[in-house]
Amino acid sequence: VQLQASGGGLVQAGGSLRLSCAASGRAFSNYAIAWFRQAPGKEREFVTAISKIGGGTYYADAVKGRFTISRDNAKNTVYLQMNSLKPEDTAVYYCAATASYSSNNYYYREGFRYDYWGQGTLVTVSS
C-alpha cells in the first residue's frame, strides 16, 4: 500500500489543522494506520494510531484531548484533526500502515511494526 500525507502548513498557536493520509492499493481496511512526527533535531515519536478492527484509537499523552484520529475506509483515508496546537507540535508528520493487530495500548507506538510510510507533511505552529 502507498501512503500520501497532506494538510500540513503554518498555523498560530491555538489554531487547528487537519491532516490526511490517503492510501492506494487494495484492502485499506486491513491496515492499522498511525501518525508519527519528527521535530528538528529530535527523534521520531508516536502521535496516534487507529486499529484495523473495531477502530480502536491510541494517543500519545502529549496530544491526548487535542488530537483526534479517524478513518474513512470508503475513501481509503485516515484523518488527523489537530486542535489547540502548540509550538511544540511543530514537526514533520508521517503516516504509516501495518497489517498487524493488537488490542494492547502500547503495541502501535513502535515504529518498527509499520511496513509502509508516507512522505511526511510539515506542520509549523508559531507562537
Side-chain angles (χ1 to χ4, degrees):
V1 62
Q2 293 182 320
L3 303 175
Q4 179 78 30
S6 62
L10 174 63
V11 63
Q12 289 188 332
S16 299
L17 279 176
R18 188 176 79 158
L19 305 184
S20 298
C21 177
S24 61
R26 298 181 296 175
F28 173 74
S29 60
N30 286 343
Y31 292 88
I33 305 294
W35 288 94
F36 289 78
R37 66 186 182 186
Q38 187 166 19
K42 295 187 177 181
E43 293 188 353
R44 184 181 65 194
E45 64 174 355
F46 170 80
V47 177
T48 181
I50 186 165
S51 69
K52 64 176 181 178
I53 299 175
T57 56
Y58 310 89
Y59 296 93
D61 288 344
V63 306
K64 199 173 296 183
R66 299 188 297 122
F67 290 11
T68 302
I69 189 171
S70 61
R71 67 189 301 159
D72 186 338
N73 287 338
K75 295 183 178 180
N76 282 9
T77 302
V78 165
Y79 303 100
L80 178 59
Q81 179 66 44
M82 305 186 296
N83 299 328
S84 302
L85 282 161
K86 305 175 181 180
E88 51 264 43
D89 294 318
T90 295
V92 177
Y93 284 71
Y94 300 90
C95 57
T98 177
S100 301
Y101 171 77
S102 174
S103 60
N104 186 313
N105 182 39
Y106 294 96
Y107 182 88
Y108 296 104
R109 298 170 185 259
E110 307 289 351
F112 69 83
R113 301 193 185 280
Y114 295 86
D115 301 308
Y116 306 97
W117 292 80
Q119 86 291 357
T121 185
L122 177 62
V123 172
T124 303
V125 184
S126 62
S127 58

